[in-house]
Amino acid sequence: MTNLILQTAIDAAIDAGNEILKIYTSEDFGVEIKADNSPLTKADKAAHLKICSYLENTDYPILSEEGKLMSFDERKNWITFWLIDPLDGTKEFIKRNGEFTVNIALIENGTPILGVVYVPVTKEIYFADKEGAFKSIATEKGIDQNNTKKLPENQELDHFTVVGSRSHMSPETEEFIDNLDKKGLPLKMISKGSSLKLCLVAEGAAHCYPRLAPTMEWDTAAGHAIVKFSGKTVTRHSDKEDVVYNKKDLLNPFFIVQ
């Protein structure tokens, strides 16, 4: 089951990325401001529709940032469902810095069991399920098998490397970083947009990603799967328990990836 389902998610992410790039290279992003003051573009909507065209043929319901807002009563009994952010990092998209992703996760009993994170500009694609976490390059025919690497990669980092948000660094996060046990290594900070921050920890390019600022479940679920199946963790800052999904309130707790 999982291989076919994972392939469907990979195909959906790559095709959604193609839709995003059509708008990324155009003159008009069609930017709107949503009720929570976050931006929405034509690309968010186009990617949502493309992903749904793939996933609605599976056995699982879909919860998308750009879809109909489901009440908890509608979704509380879901055992397995898709959780997607069609364009994560809309601010980075608008800035045209390339640091935005397509996020697709499959959640079972509150836990990610599959995830795909696709970076349309660079064609890098991260994907994970019970077989492990991998990084590859997308091609017109799917994934370049010759460029596929299992995560984490063995990287000898000579600095204690912390990845943080390019657009959302909070005072709480800065205080956490100041108090880290850096294992005697000098500190190095990397700023990244979107779910790339989770992927950097999963692949071994960073030690830690603290997020002591608001995020939503669809922001992290796919990256959480990549982290989980690379052998690392996404835990609540408050009690070190795993972050879970399909809560009544879809706002994530503050969390640490390491």
Side-chain angles (χ1 to χ4, degrees):
M1 176 197 89
T2 306
N3 284 343
L4 180 60
I5 291 290
L6 179 58
Q7 189 60 56
T8 301
I10 288 169
D11 292 344
I14 293 172
D15 231 1
N18 292 335
E19 294 296 313
I20 290 168
L21 287 178
K22 288 178 192 173
I23 296 161
Y24 191 59
T25 53
S26 73
E27 294 302 313
D28 180 18
F29 288 174
V31 179
E32 305 169 24
I33 301 300
K34 295 194 285 190
D36 63 358
N37 282 328
S38 65
L40 175 71
T41 70
K42 289 179 182 176
D44 295 82
K45 298 174 185 175
H48 166 77
L49 291 174
K50 182 60 72 175
I51 293 167
C52 289
S53 74
Y54 281 85
L55 302 187
E56 64 195 10
N57 296 319
T58 68
D59 295 331
Y60 311 118
I62 302 166
L63 181 61
S64 168
E65 178 177 14
E66 308 312 340
K68 180 174 83 74
L69 191 61
M70 304 269 188
S71 71
F72 187 58
D73 280 344
E74 289 178 89
R75 57 184 171 80
K76 66 183 178 183
N77 295 319
W78 289 358
I79 296 170
T80 308
F81 70 100
W82 294 105
L83 182 54
I84 66 175
D85 189 343
L87 200 174
D88 183 30
T90 302
K91 289 182 179 178
E92 318 309 330
F93 175 87
I94 293 168
K95 293 174 190 172
R96 280 197 167 97
N97 69 14
E99 294 179 7
F100 52 87
T101 58
V102 178
N103 296 348
I104 301 177
L106 189 64
I107 306 296
E108 186 172 274
N109 294 319
T111 299
I113 60 167
L114 176 156
V116 179
V117 174
Y118 179 48
V119 192
V121 169
T122 64
K123 307 294 184 195
E124 292 172 299
I125 186 162
Y126 299 84
F127 55 96
D129 66 1
K130 63 183 181 181
E131 302 300 321
F134 301 86
K135 180 182 181 182
S136 191
I137 300 294
T139 69
E140 289 182 8
K141 296 179 180 177
I143 285 173
D144 182 353
Q145 298 296 341
N146 295 324
N147 252 316
T148 301
K149 301 168 184 172
K150 197 166 197 290
L151 304 180
E153 297 181 68
N154 291 323
Q155 302 190 34
E156 290 296 325
L157 303 178
D158 55 5
H159 288 72
F160 190 88
T161 305
V162 178
V163 63
S165 172
R166 190 173 293 289
S167 299
H168 302 279
M169 184 66 83
S170 70
E172 292 90 345
T173 304
E174 291 174 355
E175 181 182 354
F176 176 86
I177 292 167
D178 287 342
N179 292 315
L180 270 173
D181 175 11
K182 304 173 187 71
K183 301 174 175 48
L185 294 172
L187 180 69
K188 179 180 179 182
M189 283 292 303
I190 302 175
S191 292
K192 282 283 181 187
S194 70
S195 57
L196 286 168
K197 297 180 286 291
L198 291 105
C199 294
L200 284 179
V201 177
E203 66 181 292
H207 291 96
C208 180
Y209 163 38
R211 183 58 181 246
L212 311 187
T215 56
M216 300 299 290
E217 289 190 6
W218 44 68
D219 293 321
T220 59
H224 188 158
I226 311 299
V227 169
K228 171 184 170 182
F229 291 109
S230 75
K232 303 187 182 185
T233 60
V234 182
T235 55
R236 296 190 297 239
H237 177 53
S238 60
D239 60 9
K240 308 299 184 287
E241 294 293 321
D242 286 345
V243 169
V244 297
Y245 297 87
N246 202 25
K247 305 185 305 301
K248 184 172 184 179
D249 182 351
L250 294 170
L251 188 69
N252 280 327
F254 290 177
F255 62 84
I256 311 297
V257 184
Q258 58 189 0

